[in-house]
């Protein structure tokens, strides 16, 4: 079987990550039938030979991204803690409360269905890998990383509220070749769901079209696209890119991370490290992307070969740094708060207590005020508190005897000292003699 690879870097969207292998036909060869891979007049017997070649590295075929083209861009009104060109590693964004993210995977095959097929089990394996890496789960390849407290689950309800397994399937040659604006047809509200598409990815192993800080969040084009053969555990593409880390890498971009080598070495110390290089202070400085897993140094420290945002092999990727975690959580809270809101809507389908009802605040997200409603079947002492994600009391909204029936309280985004609190995720906690209930809300200033 012949696999043709042609250069198409001039048409690759920004943030294409991992190998740029355009016009790939990746059906599995029969046992003993090794594929022939040709690129610019050169032939390779196996994928391993190709990805280990000087051609692969010299041509930058692991990524078509050109980050330096927009390094100075900045969208108007960016939240100040995680803009395109600045990261504030504030403890406010340290992992505390876990954020469940609803995911929909759109599996796209060619029209005949012979290429691009991914089983439900393979889809679930990729969700498992995301959780291993973002939660640094013990016993997994990601256990040496840092827990971001961001958890992924296949959507259980579709945008209309109907039960779903979180997977859609389409057979279309144009869409399989990453053309035809398939996302305008297939997307589930991208402000509320992480939409992942599997197809040929225009020749890359994966890409996102933009960082959320650039804008267009919530548009149909807001998505993660993955080469189908590198999706899931032990995908057909084979080593060294078959452990699902392409998706981990791309979702890192989806949550606002630069490559570790973007914009060169940058500065190593505050405040310069917050505005240069990858805008993250605790990633080792790196001048150029790193391939394989061997040690090297392109700046003043060893290259971060274990970082998910490098170009190393899947097996040596094992961590986001603590400040990368904080930048992602800042991005989630300030740019992708709708992802949190839909998880709240899913949880709202299950009553939080049998004898009391604590409703989701409205509006949510909100600025500057929101209404919190609850019902009591019996009169008694009631306490309603606002708590931050670190568990600290922010505001007591009510505390005293309350009659049975329906009640509502307004919160104006201030603390007990009448000071405005910053944007972010807050919990509101209701305590009664009948039970306790807690929900989350998002303040966006």
């Amino acid at each position: 079987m012949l696999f043709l690879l042609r250069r198409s870097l001039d048409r690759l969207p920004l943030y294409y990550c991992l190998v740029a292998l355009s016009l790939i036909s990746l059906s599995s060869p029969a046992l003993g039938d090794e594929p022939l891979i040709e690129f610019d007049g050169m032939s390779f017997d196996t994928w391993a030979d190709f990805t280990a070649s000087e051609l692969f590295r010299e041509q930058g075929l692991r990524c078509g991204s050109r980050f330096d083209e927009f390094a100075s861009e900045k969208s108007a009104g960016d939240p100040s803690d995680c803009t395109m060109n600045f990261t504030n590693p504030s403890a406010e964004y340290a992992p505390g409360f876990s954020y469940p993210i609803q995911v929909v995977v759109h599996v796209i095959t060619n029209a005949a269905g012979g290429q691009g097929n991914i089983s439900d089990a393979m889809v679930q394996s990729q969700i498992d890998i995301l959780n291993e890496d973002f939660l640094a789960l013990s016993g997994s390849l990601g256990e040496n990383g840092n827990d971001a407290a961001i958890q992924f689950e296949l959507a259980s309800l579709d945008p209309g509220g109907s039960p779903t397994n979180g997977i859609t399937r389409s057979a279309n040659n144009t869409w399989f070749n990453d053309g035809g604006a398939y996302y305008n047809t297939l997307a589930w509200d991208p402000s509320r769901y992480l939409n992942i598409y599997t197809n040929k990815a225009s020749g890359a192993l994966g890409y996102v079209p933009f960082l959320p800080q650039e804008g267009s969040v919530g548009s149909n084009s807001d998505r993660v696209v993955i080469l189908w053969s590198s999706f899931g555990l032990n995908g057909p593409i084979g080593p060294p890119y078959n452990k699902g880390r392409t998706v981990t890498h791309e979702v890192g971009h989806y949550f606002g991370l630069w490559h570790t080598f973007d914009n060169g070495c940058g500065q190593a110390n505050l405040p310069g490290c917050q505005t240069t290089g990858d805008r993250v202070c605790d990633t080792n400085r790196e001048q150029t992307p790193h391939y394989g897993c061997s040690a090297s140094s392109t700046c003043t420290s060893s290259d971060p070969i274990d970082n998910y945002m490098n170009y190393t092999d899947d097996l040596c990727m094992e961590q986001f740094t603590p400040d990368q975690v904080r930048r992602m959580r800042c991005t989630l809270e300030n740019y992708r708060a709708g992802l949190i809101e839909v998880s709240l809507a899913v949880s709202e389908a299950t009553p939080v207590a049998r004898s009391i009802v604590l409703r989701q605040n409205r509006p949510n997200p909100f600025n500057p005020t929101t209404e919190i409603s609850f019902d009591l079947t019996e009169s008694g002492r009631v306490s309603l508190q606002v708590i931050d994600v670190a568990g600290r009391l922010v505001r007591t909204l009510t505390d005293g005897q309350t009659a049975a029936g329906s009640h509502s309280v307004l919160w104006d985004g201030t603390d007990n000292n009448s000071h405005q609190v910053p944007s972010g995720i807050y919990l509101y906690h209701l305590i009664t003699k009948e039970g306790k209930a807690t929900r989350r809300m998002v303040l966006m200033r």
Side-chain angles (χ1 to χ4, degrees):
M1 185 174 292
L2 179 65
F3 292 80
L4 297 179
L5 297 89
R6 300 178 184 140
R7 193 191 325 256
S8 60
L9 298 182
D10 58 335
R11 64 182 179 84
L12 290 175
L14 298 174
Y15 295 101
Y16 269 35
C17 293
L18 308 179
V19 62
L21 307 175
S22 63
L23 302 177
I24 301 174
S25 176
L26 273 177
S27 56
S28 299
L31 186 64
D33 180 17
E34 291 291 338
L36 175 65
I37 302 166
E38 293 187 353
F39 185 89
D40 278 3
M42 298 186 67
S43 299
F44 303 89
D45 291 332
T46 66
W47 287 112
D49 290 342
F50 175 71
T51 57
S53 69
E54 288 301 315
L55 175 68
F56 178 83
R57 299 187 182 192
E58 289 174 359
Q59 298 295 329
L61 296 178
R62 198 160 188 229
C63 183
S65 303
R66 297 295 180 265
F67 293 91
D68 55 353
E69 294 177 3
F70 50 83
S72 63
E73 292 182 9
K74 184 176 179 181
S75 302
D78 284 346
S80 61
D81 286 334
C82 47
T83 66
M84 279 290 286
N85 288 314
F86 176 76
T87 300
N88 174 19
S90 169
E92 174 185 356
Y93 299 110
F97 201 90
S98 180
Y99 296 134
I101 305 301
Q102 297 289 296
V103 182
V104 55
V105 176
H106 305 282
V107 177
I108 302 174
T109 71
N110 66 348
Q115 295 186 55
N117 281 315
I118 299 173
S119 68
D120 288 2
M122 185 68 86
V123 171
Q124 185 59 57
S125 78
Q126 184 62 72
I127 300 300
D128 293 342
I129 291 166
L130 282 173
N131 287 323
E132 290 173 0
D133 295 347
F134 278 80
L135 300 175
L137 294 182
S138 177
S140 74
L141 292 176
E143 67 177 342
N144 293 326
N146 294 283
D147 183 2
I150 299 174
Q151 185 169 349
F152 303 86
E153 53 191 41
L154 288 170
S156 57
L157 297 176
D158 68 17
S162 299
T164 178
N165 66 354
I167 303 171
T168 75
R169 296 184 179 277
S170 304
N172 182 295
N173 284 335
T174 300
W175 293 359
F176 182 60
N177 286 307
D178 203 32
Y182 50 85
Y183 40 84
N184 284 331
T185 301
L186 299 179
W188 290 11
D189 186 355
S191 66
R192 304 174 71 228
Y193 296 87
L194 164 54
N195 284 257
I196 299 177
Y197 299 84
T198 65
N199 57 18
K200 285 188 179 179
S202 286
L205 283 195
Y207 70 89
V208 297
F210 47 77
L211 290 184
Q213 285 81 353
E214 292 181 277
S216 298
V217 169
S219 66
N220 284 342
S221 62
D222 186 7
R223 67 199 190 278
V224 172
V225 185
I226 303 296
L227 176 65
W228 71 274
S229 59
S230 63
F231 185 89
L233 182 62
N234 298 324
I237 196 170
Y241 307 124
N242 66 336
K243 298 302 179 184
R245 262 50 190 282
T246 297
V247 181
T248 300
H249 178 107
E250 299 306 336
V251 173
H253 286 318
Y254 179 83
F255 286 130
L257 294 184
W258 295 78
H259 293 122
T260 52
F261 51 83
D262 281 329
N263 310 301
C265 293
Q267 299 181 35
N269 301 311
L270 287 169
C273 57
Q274 296 172 279
T275 58
T276 62
D278 66 350
R279 282 68 167 147
V280 175
C281 288
D282 63 357
T283 56
N284 286 2
R285 306 295 95 188
E286 188 174 28
Q287 181 68 43
T288 55
H290 194 108
Y291 297 87
C293 296
S294 61
S296 69
S297 177
T298 55
C299 296
T300 57
S301 57
S302 59
D303 292 339
I305 62 174
D306 61 348
N307 199 284
Y308 294 125
M309 302 314 295
N310 209 329
Y311 284 172
T312 45
D313 295 350
D314 279 14
L315 283 176
C316 53
M317 288 181 170
E318 62 179 14
Q319 74 154 317
F320 295 113
T321 66
D323 284 356
Q324 282 178 317
V325 165
R326 294 183 183 193
R327 180 172 171 87
M328 287 193 292
R329 290 177 67 87
C330 176
T331 299
L332 176 57
E333 294 175 9
N334 289 291
Y335 294 91
R336 296 196 177 281
L339 295 175
I340 301 167
E341 183 181 6
V342 74
S343 292
L344 295 174
V346 170
S347 66
E348 197 173 34
T350 302
V352 294
R354 182 168 297 180
S355 54
I356 60 174
V357 175
L358 178 62
R359 294 188 174 86
Q360 188 61 50
N361 64 301
R362 295 290 185 269
N364 187 48
F366 68 95
N367 180 27
T369 61
T370 190
E371 181 181 38
I372 300 171
S373 300
F374 59 93
D375 295 345
L376 301 176
T377 58
E378 298 180 18
S379 62
R381 187 177 181 85
V382 170
S383 175
L384 180 61
Q385 301 174 331
V386 177
I387 302 167
D388 67 17
V389 292
R392 297 169 296 209
L393 177 65
V394 174
R395 176 78 176 270
T396 298
L397 298 176
T398 186
D399 188 9
Q401 283 294 122
T402 305
S406 298
H407 303 271
S408 63
V409 179
L410 291 178
W411 184 45
D412 60 0
T414 62
D415 61 18
N416 280 330
N417 295 317
S418 298
H419 298 144
Q420 287 191 344
V421 300
S423 298
I425 308 298
Y426 294 88
L427 313 179
Y428 53 100
H429 188 50
L430 180 68
I431 305 173
T432 77
K433 68 178 183 180
E434 303 169 58
K436 302 177 182 179
T438 302
R439 290 198 183 277
R440 290 167 284 173
M441 55 185 168
V442 181
L443 172 60
M444 299 182 67
R445 295 200 182 277

